[in-house]
Amino acid sequence: MDAVDQDPLLLLRQSIASGSSIIPTTSPDDTSSSSAPEANLAQATHLQFTHPRRVSIPIDAPTRFISNDSPVDLRSIYFAWLNREVAIPEYNASATKLNDELAGASTVHKFAFVERLDLITWLEGASEESEYIKPLAGDKDSSAVAAAASAALKGSAAPTSAQAKSGRGTLDPRLAQIYNGERPMGDRNTVLRGIKPTDFSHVRKLAATIMTKKPLPSSSSTAPAPSQSLALNPKHAQRRPDPIILLSPSASSLLRMSNVKSFLEGGRYVPPDSSSTATMLHITRVMKDIDPSRPMRFILVEGPEQFKPEYWNRVVAVFTTGQSWQFKNYKWSSATELFKHVLGIYVGWRGDQPPDAIKSFGKRIVTSQVDKWSGSDASRWRDREVVEGVWKAIEGNMRAKGWKRDAAPVAI
């Protein structure tokens, strides 16, 4: 088997896509046609995959997912996938319980909320790249790895040259013999590189540093320019990080985790669902004045409890109801100081006056009003206009702070 067939991350992703069994087991035997008995994660020594072929991988095997410069083991990856729908406090509590059962023999890695979201998105197949996952060893061209993984996910092998020419799955043996005797024509890759492939990816990195426009230094200040990129990972210096939007956790807020996606992404307001337990989600939006060629992914959370210090540079908006306790654990706990750095957004009912606290927070608060909920969404045609106004304010603030096509501000 090659590296693609044996890679734990790709095997897990392919098994999820195909809906095939993933079995924790205490047996390394992968030749048996029957399924191995399932074991507890604390006792399992191997993880058995049944797609595209039956294979067992040691459960403590390191993977290509890198956290804090160290590879994360397969058990931690699989445990995070099993707990993908639970809130972060429940996930951390379950991880602590599993670590107690392991009794020091091994330790389950607890993912930060951005790492966990990135991992789950990649495993589900919603994203073809991850800033935390290294390419396969010996294959610097990530597109080749993606192509191999994509072919495996679809469950189809690459066609032979004869099959490609005929456009059919089977071919007459005589015709196949003729096709296989043809001399292949050279393409631009073989003409430029010869018979030995040459990796020119380093040229792109060198060109990026030369072609990036740098602002002229100010004579009155020695502070770094706001257009300098904030790299999430030193090995992905040109990757633009995902901006973050903070919601109000107040029960009186019109927008909560259960209905904010419908509002900001679908342009329609529905009442929040009090039974929702989600603590983070992501939405996509094309910001035409920043990057018209690809959608930008936004991460939405209700609180900064899992924030690292550098995450604050990625916060582009804070939804608030005017209650100052919301900012207790923020980097800037004072509302007036907070909204000097971050755009504030208040969403209330049309016809109602905003709270006096909103007015006292300063001028960097965008006030929006939606029609009161009447029990039906048939008359919600004005919601989209309100949503577009909110996005226009967010995009204008992002441009002012230094967000660009491939870079984020180094400070806000």
Side-chain angles (χ1 to χ4, degrees), residues 340-356:
K340 290 180 181 179
H341 300 273
V342 184
L343 177 70
I345 300 175
Y346 168 79
V347 178
W349 296 125
R350 192 180 303 277
D352 293 352
Q353 290 293 327
D356 294 336

Side-chain angles (χ1 to χ4, degrees), residues 22-30 35-48 56-59 75:
I22 306 170
I23 307 170
T25 177
T26 56
S27 172
D29 184 18
D30 55 9
S35 299
E38 185 170 353
N40 184 281
L41 271 183
Q43 301 172 348
T45 59
H46 289 73
L47 202 61
Q48 186 180 96
S56 294
I57 303 293
I59 201 167
R75 180 191 278 112

Side-chain angles (χ1 to χ4, degrees), residues 42-271:
Q43 301 172 348
T45 59
H46 289 73
L47 202 61
Q48 186 180 96
F49 301 94
T50 57
H51 178 85
R53 59 180 59 86
R54 188 176 299 276
V55 59
S56 294
I57 303 293
I59 201 167
D60 57 355
T63 68
R64 293 179 292 114
F65 193 98
I66 305 301
S67 176
N68 297 325
D69 297 326
S70 299
V72 180
D73 62 283
L74 180 57
R75 180 191 278 112
S76 300
I77 297 288
Y78 183 59
F79 179 77
W81 169 254
L82 293 178
N83 292 271
R84 62 192 179 279
E85 296 182 356
V86 305
I88 288 181
E90 298 176 28
Y91 163 72
N92 289 335
S94 299
T96 301
K97 181 180 178 181
L98 180 56
N99 283 334
D100 293 340
E101 295 176 1
L102 289 170
S106 183
T107 303
V108 172
H109 175 77
K110 296 180 181 179
F111 291 91
F113 83 98
V114 173
E115 294 176 339
R116 181 171 173 234
L117 178 62
D118 193 89
L119 172 65
I120 293 172
T121 302
W122 187 86
L123 288 175
E124 289 176 336
S127 174
E128 291 300 327
E129 59 180 14
S130 169
E131 62 185 272
Y132 300 100
I133 298 178
K134 286 185 175 181
L136 286 173
D139 194 341
K140 298 181 180 179
D141 187 359
S142 60
S143 62
V145 178
S150 177
L153 285 174
K154 293 178 181 177
S156 58
T160 64
S161 60
Q163 290 173 329
K165 288 180 174 64
S166 66
R168 303 192 300 270
T170 59
L171 192 63
D172 180 83
R174 176 57 180 165
L175 190 56
Q177 184 179 3
I178 295 173
Y179 278 139
N180 291 331
E182 290 183 348
R183 181 179 178 181
M185 299 293 292
D187 57 12
R188 65 182 185 91
N189 292 325
T190 57
V191 171
L192 292 175
R193 302 183 180 183
I195 60 174
K196 182 179 179 181
T198 305
D199 181 17
F200 291 102
S201 60
H202 66 284
V203 178
R204 181 175 55 188
K205 297 179 180 179
L206 294 175
T209 60
I210 299 174
M211 298 179 66
T212 302
K213 295 182 179 179
K214 297 182 179 180
L216 295 175
S218 172
S219 58
S220 59
S221 175
T222 59
S227 62
Q228 291 177 339
S229 64
L230 172 64
L232 292 182
N233 190 321
K235 299 177 182 178
H236 299 85
Q238 298 300 320
R239 186 187 301 277
R240 180 189 64 203
D242 296 332
I244 299 173
I245 296 177
L246 283 166
L247 301 180
S248 171
S250 172
S252 63
S253 176
L254 299 188
L255 294 177
R256 301 295 301 275
M257 296 297 291
S258 61
N259 67 341
V260 69
K261 187 178 181 71
S262 171
F263 184 70
L264 291 180
E265 198 170 62
R268 182 172 59 90
Y269 177 81
V270 294

Side-chain angles (χ1 to χ4, degrees), residues 222-399:
T222 59
S227 62
Q228 291 177 339
S229 64
L230 172 64
L232 292 182
N233 190 321
K235 299 177 182 178
H236 299 85
Q238 298 300 320
R239 186 187 301 277
R240 180 189 64 203
D242 296 332
I244 299 173
I245 296 177
L246 283 166
L247 301 180
S248 171
S250 172
S252 63
S253 176
L254 299 188
L255 294 177
R256 301 295 301 275
M257 296 297 291
S258 61
N259 67 341
V260 69
K261 187 178 181 71
S262 171
F263 184 70
L264 291 180
E265 198 170 62
R268 182 172 59 90
Y269 177 81
V270 294
D273 182 4
S274 59
S275 63
S276 175
T277 58
T279 57
M280 62 179 174
L281 54 85
H282 67 268
I283 61 176
T284 56
R285 169 84 178 188
V286 175
M287 312 300 276
K288 296 181 180 179
D289 292 338
I290 298 177
D291 187 356
S293 62
R294 55 174 176 165
M296 184 176 291
R297 187 174 73 168
F298 291 80
I299 298 175
L300 279 70
V301 293
E302 284 190 341
E305 289 78 11
Q306 302 295 327
F307 270 28
K308 293 181 180 180
E310 62 268 23
Y311 290 171
W312 280 103
N313 298 322
R314 298 160 54 187
V315 177
V316 296
V318 173
F319 282 79
T320 180
T321 58
Q323 297 166 298
S324 58
W325 58 262
Q326 174 185 348
F327 319 124
K328 180 180 178 181
N329 296 324
Y330 282 25
K331 179 179 180 180
W332 302 282
S333 57
S334 168
T336 53
E337 182 65 22
L338 169 68
F339 295 119
K340 290 180 181 179
H341 300 273
V342 184
L343 177 70
I345 300 175
Y346 168 79
V347 178
W349 296 125
R350 192 180 303 277
D352 293 352
Q353 290 293 327
D356 294 336
I358 295 295
K359 300 177 182 178
S360 67
F361 286 168
K363 297 181 179 180
R364 285 178 51 81
I365 301 288
V366 175
T367 301
S368 301
Q369 295 181 322
V370 296
D371 293 328
K372 293 185 178 180
W373 180 254
S374 60
S376 171
D377 59 356
S379 60
R380 308 304 305 182
W381 55 272
R382 287 201 292 187
D383 290 347
R384 183 168 294 276
E385 179 182 357
V386 177
V387 172
E388 291 301 320
V390 171
W391 278 119
K392 183 178 180 180
I394 293 176
E395 185 172 12
N397 178 69
M398 291 177 66
R399 290 183 60 197

